Amino acid sequence: MAVTDSLKHLPEVAPLSPFYTEEHEAFRRTVRRFVDRELMPYVDQWDEAEEFPRELYRKASAAGLLQLGFPEEYGGVPTDPFFGIVKAEEMARHGSGGLNASLNSHTIGSPPIAALGPEWMKRRVLPEVLAGEKISALAITEPSGGSDVANLKTTARREGDHYVVNGSKMFITSGMRADYYTVAVRTGGPGAGGVSLLLIERDREGFGRTKLKKMGWWASDTAQLFFDNVRVPVDNLIGQENKGFIGIMLNFNQERLGMSAGACGYAKVCLDESIAYARERHTFGKPLIANQVVRHRLVDMAMRINAVKSTLELLAWRVSQGEKPVAEICMLKNLATSTMEFCANEAMQVFGGAGYLRGAKVERIYRETKVMAIGGGSVEIMKDLAARQMGL
């Protein structure tokens, strides 16, 4: 149902930006080739199968897509945030958020290791993950609550040179087949001051997983995790005991910036698909785009996308300058995900019945809007955090 064959003639939604260099554009061409060759022909098949080949991780690494932002000494490629934006925009073109979520689960699972992990862990885990040989996942959310990280209930009791872990985690991306899990546990008293991070390998005795069926993100491997007296060496501690909340918070700005870039990319796909379809589809003897009401829908979509893109790029520049604009990033995530919702809804109206059929990018994106507005911090949590950061 995709109508992207005619998209090469479409105008850019936003004007050229001063933030991108030829190096960024060369990387864009690399990602675009990868998407066109390795993802586009198979994405519908993988979505229906609710999985994709594990070999794709190696291919993504060979194309230089997994290493962004990680230290060079462990196999990474240090970059500015704009490389991440380029990657998110191009990876959105195939329209499967689930594929992107699992293929990039290391971008939330591995940063705490790179920032706070002991040297042996960095040298063992990061090169394997960045080479696409092993899969990394982050396990924080629990069945009893997601955003209330400071009150998580999974416990890790110290017994000699091991922690004994008991509890459960929920909605974990790459939860079934990850090799390494960065897990938030309670090692101390109540509140944020009792939280630690542990590296837990998939083959630990007592560690179980159950696959979850979802409204969207079908190609994403999502699971509930169970820890039943799982013994984990004390050496697997990431950072200091009872200081794990800091590591969790360090991750959130990057995750939310990335989710905003992805939401903007999916919104752009909705616009591009809508323009192409409105030009091809004829009703009452004229192309759909000849109707003013349709053109106004397209302009409304472009207007919102431009606002998100401009804000995203400015905040990415501020982050590259060493700033931590927490409130602004929270508001950006809400703006980006609400724009994605708006554009997906408008695209469905333009497509009509054709957009309701499986295999249409706009149908898949429409189903996946809510997970973007919930994951990484819900709309309500983002507003509350932004208000606190603003001193309100």
Side-chain angles (χ1 to χ4, degrees):
M1 294 294 298
V3 292
T4 48
D5 290 345
S6 61
L7 296 185
K8 59 185 178 181
H9 302 300
L10 294 179
E12 292 291 330
V13 172
L16 293 176
S17 168
F19 297 113
Y20 299 96
T21 66
E22 176 51 37
E23 191 175 7
H24 293 113
E25 295 309 319
F27 179 64
R28 183 186 300 279
R29 292 189 290 272
T30 296
V31 183
R32 179 161 293 204
R33 285 194 299 271
F34 178 82
V35 171
D36 288 343
R37 182 180 65 250
E38 302 292 348
L39 305 183
M40 286 287 199
Y42 315 108
V43 67
D44 291 334
Q45 171 188 335
W46 292 339
D47 217 47
E48 294 293 337
E50 299 185 357
E51 64 178 4
F52 57 87
R54 192 179 176 105
E55 178 61 24
L56 194 61
Y57 290 92
R58 292 180 185 269
K59 291 181 177 180
S61 175
L65 305 189
L66 302 187
Q67 300 90 333
L68 298 184
F70 287 92
E72 191 172 4
E73 58 266 37
Y74 308 116
V77 179
T79 58
D80 62 49
F82 294 99
F83 281 93
I85 293 175
V86 168
K87 177 183 171 183
E89 288 176 341
E90 293 301 317
M91 291 290 283
R93 291 174 51 243
H94 58 68
S96 174
L99 172 59
N100 287 341
S102 273
L103 189 60
N104 293 291
S105 63
H106 72 292
T107 63
I108 56 175
S110 291
I113 297 173
L116 303 171
E119 190 62 24
W120 74 264
M121 189 184 295
K122 294 177 182 178
R123 295 198 175 279
R124 173 185 155 197
V125 174
L126 295 180
E128 292 181 327
V129 170
L130 300 181
E133 297 169 359
K134 297 291 179 69
I135 300 171
S136 171
L138 180 69
I140 296 177
T141 300
E142 298 186 342
S144 60
S147 297
D148 193 7
V149 178
N151 289 312
L152 60 86
K153 293 179 171 56
T154 298
T155 60
R157 186 182 71 258
R158 180 79 178 261
E159 285 189 1
D161 58 356
H162 282 77
Y163 290 105
V164 180
V165 181
N166 283 281
S168 179
K169 297 293 179 179
M170 194 62 156
F171 311 127
I172 306 307
T173 301
S174 294
M176 290 301 295
R177 60 180 182 176
D179 302 284
Y180 298 116
Y181 297 79
T182 299
V183 184
V185 296
R186 183 160 302 286
T187 50
V195 174
S196 298
L197 289 174
L198 289 177
L199 174 71
I200 301 182
E201 300 89 345
R202 66 170 290 120
D203 57 358
R204 293 277 169 193
E205 186 176 353
F207 181 17
R209 296 163 292 280
T210 300
K211 181 178 179 179
L212 299 174
K213 303 285 283 185
K214 310 178 299 297
M215 173 182 174
W217 276 17
W218 293 348
S220 174
D221 159 21
T222 311
Q224 183 172 5
L225 313 182
F226 302 93
F227 303 97
D228 183 10
N229 290 321
V230 179
R231 296 182 64 82
V232 181
V234 171
D235 287 346
N236 280 31
L237 184 67
I238 300 173
Q240 300 179 43
E241 187 173 272
N242 298 328
K243 302 283 187 177
F245 193 77
I246 298 172
I248 295 171
M249 292 301 106
L250 285 175
N251 227 28
F252 274 139
N253 269 352
Q254 174 182 311
E255 180 182 4
R256 290 162 183 164
L257 203 63
M259 291 190 73
S260 299
C264 188
Y266 296 124
K268 175 67 158 55
V269 171
C270 289
L271 173 60
D272 288 349
E273 291 282 303
S274 297
I275 293 174
Y277 184 79
R279 286 175 172 168
E280 294 174 1
R281 171 70 166 162
H282 282 66
T283 58
F284 302 103
K286 61 182 179 181
L288 202 59
I289 203 166
N291 295 284
Q292 185 184 63
V293 66
V294 173
R295 296 198 303 273
H296 284 189
R297 284 186 186 276
L298 301 174
V299 170
D300 283 342
M301 293 162 72
M303 179 176 65
R304 287 165 171 78
I305 293 170
N306 283 342
V308 173
K309 185 74 181 295
S310 298
T311 306
L312 171 66
E313 290 178 342
L314 180 58
L315 289 179
W317 179 81
R318 290 177 59 184
V319 168
S320 73
Q321 301 303 302
E323 290 189 45
K324 295 179 180 178
V326 176
E328 290 87 345
I329 289 176
C330 289
M331 290 185 283
L332 168 66
K333 181 178 180 291
N334 282 356
L335 178 65
T337 55
S338 64
T339 295
M340 178 182 169
E341 289 182 357
F342 176 85
C343 291
N345 185 71
E346 294 299 282
M348 289 288 283
Q349 287 299 121
V350 172
F351 270 72
Y356 201 68
L357 299 179
R358 296 250 278 271
K361 290 182 184 179
V362 297
E363 182 271 340
R364 183 185 297 123
I365 292 172
Y366 186 84
R367 278 189 287 107
E368 297 181 347
T369 56
K370 275 303 170 187
V371 70
M372 297 291 284
I374 295 169
S378 68
V379 170
E380 295 78 11
I381 292 294
M382 293 297 91
K383 289 181 179 180
D384 197 51
L385 179 54
R388 292 201 303 272
Q389 290 288 319
M390 294 166 65
L392 301 179

